[in-house]
Amino acid sequence: MRFCFIRDHRSHFSVKRMCRTLKVSKSGYYAWVNRRPSRRTAETTRLRSRIFQLYEEHSGCAGSPMITADLRAETEFRRVSRQRVARHMRQLGLRCQTSRRFVVTTDSKHAEPIAPNRLNRQFTVSFPNTAWVTDITYLKVGRKWHYLTVFIDLFSRIVVGWDLSNSLERHSVIRAFRKAFARRRPPHGLLIHSDRGIQFASHDFRSELRRHGCVQSMSRKGNCWDNAVAESFFHTLKTQFVRHRRFSNSLEAKLALF
């Protein structure tokens, strides 16, 4: 600790004076300064430096699980543990930043018919185009809120259709569904699961599903876990992609989202 003090205060005091005051030998100090760091110390220094670089690349929107996954993709750090990464991130003061703003996108207080919860949290399916989940989230574009609708195939967790609109009207949901249907051409009996929002309960959307032979399913009232896959996707999108971006217009936002 005394050698570290001397090293850190060389610009203020002479080494000779500090060594005399702290009762250490001048030769011992210079031997400590010139000593090569151990292999473990050097590796730790490189690891901490790489952690900081990856954190910056993610614009501060990454925690220890994501940083660990990135490190393990590199040969030098392929065996690093998440606990070790988390410890160094704490010491470096690096924390995953998340967005706290909230805009209501679900209006379930309506008189439209409600479909039963046919999905019932069965989020693992054996074949593609068996069940899709859908939801709506919000993004700031310019000075206004825009609304993103997505349809996700539970088999692959791929977004099969999406639409961005400056309105919460049902038409954006229908457009996103039509894009997904045209892309995937699913068979009759496809299950479409959503929350109880009026966009999904609307006559026009229900008619669209019937026309394509789809079966509708809705979450229980106020239960976000019934649509956990869509909720998880939006959380990832917000914290890792949207938070530090500013979109000046809808075209810019759409290109970035694509």
Side-chain angles (χ1 to χ4, degrees), residues 8-62:
D8 296 339
H9 293 81
R10 285 179 300 173
S11 59
H12 302 287
F13 308 101
S14 70
V15 171
K16 181 179 180 181
R17 182 180 177 186
M18 287 189 289
C19 287
R20 184 172 64 248
T21 302
L22 296 173
K23 298 180 179 180
V24 295
S25 69
K26 190 175 175 181
S27 59
Y29 166 72
Y30 282 115
W32 176 82
V33 168
N34 295 322
R35 185 176 62 198
R36 295 183 61 183
S38 67
R39 186 171 66 178
R40 176 71 174 183
T41 301
E43 193 268 341
T44 298
T45 300
R46 293 194 301 273
L47 174 62
R48 288 167 68 96
S49 175
R50 189 67 183 123
I51 288 172
F52 188 83
Q53 290 172 358
L54 291 170
Y55 182 81
E56 289 289 303
E57 289 175 13
H58 286 289
S59 301
C61 296

Side-chain angles (χ1 to χ4, degrees), residues 147-175:
Y147 304 94
L148 174 68
T149 302
V150 300
F151 283 82
I152 301 173
D153 187 340
L154 284 181
F155 174 75
S156 60
R157 305 299 168 94
I158 290 175
V159 175
V160 292
W162 62 278
D163 187 74
L164 185 67
S165 172
N166 61 359
S167 168
L168 270 172
E169 293 292 329
R170 63 196 180 282
H171 306 295
S172 181
V173 171
I174 294 172
R175 284 195 299 269

Side-chain angles (χ1 to χ4, degrees), residues 5 19 23 41 45 47 49 78 86 110 121 135 167 187 190 208 211 237 254:
F5 180 89
C19 287
K23 298 180 179 180
T41 301
T45 300
L47 174 62
S49 175
R78 65 183 182 276
H110 53 75
R121 300 190 187 180
D135 204 353
S167 168
L190 169 66
E208 189 75 18
R211 188 164 67 87
L237 181 76
K254 288 177 182 177

Side-chain angles (χ1 to χ4, degrees), residues 35-258:
R35 185 176 62 198
R36 295 183 61 183
S38 67
R39 186 171 66 178
R40 176 71 174 183
T41 301
E43 193 268 341
T44 298
T45 300
R46 293 194 301 273
L47 174 62
R48 288 167 68 96
S49 175
R50 189 67 183 123
I51 288 172
F52 188 83
Q53 290 172 358
L54 291 170
Y55 182 81
E56 289 289 303
E57 289 175 13
H58 286 289
S59 301
C61 296
S64 58
M66 179 170 290
I67 297 295
T68 302
D70 288 347
L71 287 167
R72 287 175 177 171
E74 302 175 7
T75 303
E76 182 178 3
F77 305 114
R78 65 183 182 276
R79 297 174 184 263
V80 69
S81 69
R82 191 183 70 80
Q83 291 78 11
R84 187 181 179 194
V85 173
R87 183 177 71 253
H88 287 304
M89 289 186 70
R90 284 195 301 272
Q91 293 170 356
L92 292 168
L94 306 179
R95 296 181 61 185
C96 180
Q97 303 176 42
T98 58
S99 179
R100 297 180 181 273
R101 291 180 296 179
F102 180 75
V103 175
V104 175
T105 58
T106 301
D107 176 14
S108 57
K109 296 180 180 179
H110 53 75
E112 300 292 344
I114 300 298
N117 184 7
R118 295 185 171 94
L119 182 64
N120 197 27
R121 300 190 187 180
Q122 298 300 310
F123 299 128
T124 301
V125 297
S126 301
F127 301 97
N129 302 320
T130 301
W132 295 351
V133 296
T134 179
D135 204 353
I136 304 170
T137 193
Y138 56 92
L139 308 172
K140 198 67 172 290
V141 178
R143 295 183 178 181
K144 297 182 179 180
W145 291 111
H146 281 53
Y147 304 94
L148 174 68
T149 302
V150 300
F151 283 82
I152 301 173
D153 187 340
L154 284 181
F155 174 75
S156 60
R157 305 299 168 94
I158 290 175
V159 175
V160 292
W162 62 278
D163 187 74
L164 185 67
S165 172
N166 61 359
S167 168
L168 270 172
E169 293 292 329
R170 63 196 180 282
H171 306 295
S172 181
V173 171
I174 294 172
R175 284 195 299 269
F177 173 76
R178 287 176 176 172
K179 292 174 186 177
F181 195 91
R183 179 184 177 191
R184 301 300 290 268
R185 296 292 179 184
H188 274 46
L190 169 66
L191 187 69
I192 302 293
H193 183 81
S194 69
D195 60 27
R196 296 184 172 199
I198 192 170
Q199 301 89 344
F200 303 112
S202 68
H203 171 76
D204 291 344
F205 183 66
R206 288 186 286 109
S207 297
E208 189 75 18
L209 295 186
R210 285 196 301 270
R211 188 164 67 87
H212 291 94
C214 298
V215 178
Q216 192 169 25
S217 170
M218 287 184 176
S219 301
R220 289 166 292 183
K221 187 175 182 179
N223 197 321
C224 63
W225 297 108
D226 286 347
N227 203 10
V229 172
E231 296 282 352
S232 176
F233 170 77
F234 281 149
H235 175 75
T236 302
L237 181 76
K238 292 289 189 68
T239 58
Q240 298 177 16
F241 175 72
V242 174
R243 176 168 161 69
H244 292 294
R245 290 175 179 257
R246 297 293 181 268
F247 304 116
S248 58
N249 55 61
S250 59
L251 177 60
E252 181 182 332
K254 288 177 182 177
L255 290 174
L257 287 167
F258 179 81

